[in-house]
Amino acid sequence: MASDRAKRLRRLARTLTERFALAAHRHGVVEAEWSGSARAWTFVWTDGPTVGQVRAVCREAEPEVSEGLRYVRSLSEDAVALGAVRLTISSADGPGRRPLVRPADVAELLRDEPFPVPRTERERALVYALVYEVHDAHHRNRADAEEICELVNRYGLATFLRRCGAELSPVEILTAHYAASHAHPTWRYQLAPMDAAVLLRAVREDPRASAELLDAALALLPGLPAECAAAGDELRARRDRASPTA
């Protein structure tokens, strides 16, 4: 009986692998594992479908043999980095102190997201930069979830945004330049930009503002109140005097 169940479970694991096209997925297939100490079978896989999706297919295909079956979806280093990025950025909208990101938080965030992958080029670039940093720091091609979260908690995301060469919006260009001098740490950690009106004032009060900063400030003007429009003439005059590499 036990041998028959093992065969049926392994066949069911292959069915799941085919159903969710995991054979072609870079993280491999669903595996059926037996734990002698727990006296239980577990289906394990990485990223891919959610536990709820796999459980539903099992109960539909093999309701009897899947009784008491355990399900464990692990997350790849890329998925952990993606979750850490999203949690860190979203926390900028919350009240109070910046929360630390933990592996358990990442797992909870992605619990109901099948096949978690970056939605934007910025997410993709940040994920690559974070994972690469851990690989490089530890001289190995593996990054643990704890290491990724610790890296984000210690250094924030702005450092890695610069390293990955992501394109910045005008408000981000100005925030990246003035955040430190204006005591705005949420940019360093959570990529939260400063208020546009504050940035405009910072540029106007900065006699050494470069052509890039002046251009970014001019790009902000259409979204600012009408009384800020008068700053446009001043900024354009300064921009005309500034060399492209100033």
Side-chain angles (χ1 to χ4, degrees):
M1 178 66 71
S3 176
D4 178 64
R5 188 181 187 216
K7 291 179 181 178
R8 292 173 67 184
L9 283 172
R10 292 190 176 101
R11 184 169 61 246
L12 179 56
R14 291 193 295 272
T15 297
L16 290 164
T17 296
E18 294 171 1
R19 173 77 68 92
F20 292 103
L22 294 178
H25 194 252
R26 64 192 180 96
H27 297 304
V29 301
V30 177
E31 298 280 0
E33 297 182 354
W34 167 254
S35 170
S37 58
R39 306 293 297 172
W41 283 94
T42 303
F43 275 179
V44 298
W45 67 100
T46 302
D47 295 347
T50 66
V51 167
Q53 289 176 316
V54 171
R55 182 186 290 115
V57 173
C58 289
R59 289 178 176 175
E60 175 189 352
E62 287 276 13
E64 181 182 354
V65 78
S66 62
E67 187 70 29
L69 184 63
R70 299 180 178 185
Y71 306 88
V72 175
R73 182 180 80 153
S74 62
L75 295 174
S76 67
E77 57 187 25
D78 283 359
V80 171
L82 175 63
V85 166
R86 289 180 181 171
L87 280 172
T88 301
I89 291 175
S90 65
S91 68
D93 298 326
R97 298 178 59 186
R98 174 179 62 92
L100 298 180
V101 176
R102 303 169 301 172
D105 301 324
V106 173
E108 178 62 23
L109 176 72
L110 300 178
R111 180 171 61 93
D112 297 322
E113 181 171 343
F115 295 90
V117 294
R119 301 185 188 122
T120 65
E121 284 305 313
R122 174 167 292 193
E123 282 190 342
R124 192 183 312 280
L126 283 169
V127 165
Y128 176 84
L130 288 169
V131 172
Y132 178 86
E133 179 67 21
V134 176
H135 288 186
D136 188 59
H138 295 276
H139 306 290
R140 52 174 160 77
N141 292 322
R142 178 174 56 82
D144 296 335
E146 292 80 5
E147 294 169 337
I148 294 171
C149 291
E150 196 275 336
L151 188 69
V152 173
N153 291 331
R154 175 180 294 186
Y155 298 107
L157 296 178
T159 295
F160 302 101
L161 188 68
R162 288 195 299 269
R163 291 182 185 176
C164 69
E167 183 177 353
L168 302 184
S169 66
V171 72
E172 290 175 332
I173 291 171
L174 294 170
T175 301
H177 185 82
Y178 292 110
S181 60
H182 283 67
H184 189 77
T186 49
W187 168 256
R188 173 187 172 187
Y189 289 103
Q190 297 148 296
L191 300 182
M194 294 168 58
D195 180 78
V198 173
L199 289 169
L200 178 63
R201 185 165 62 252
V203 175
R204 297 182 70 185
E205 294 174 353
D206 180 4
R208 299 175 62 86
S210 67
E212 180 188 33
L213 297 177
L214 292 167
D215 284 338
L218 285 166
L220 295 184
L221 287 177
L224 290 172
E227 54 266 27
C228 296
D233 292 339
E234 171 200 332
L235 292 174
R236 278 185 284 271
R238 290 176 60 187
R239 177 62 183 84
D240 290 341
R241 296 194 300 269
S243 65
T245 58

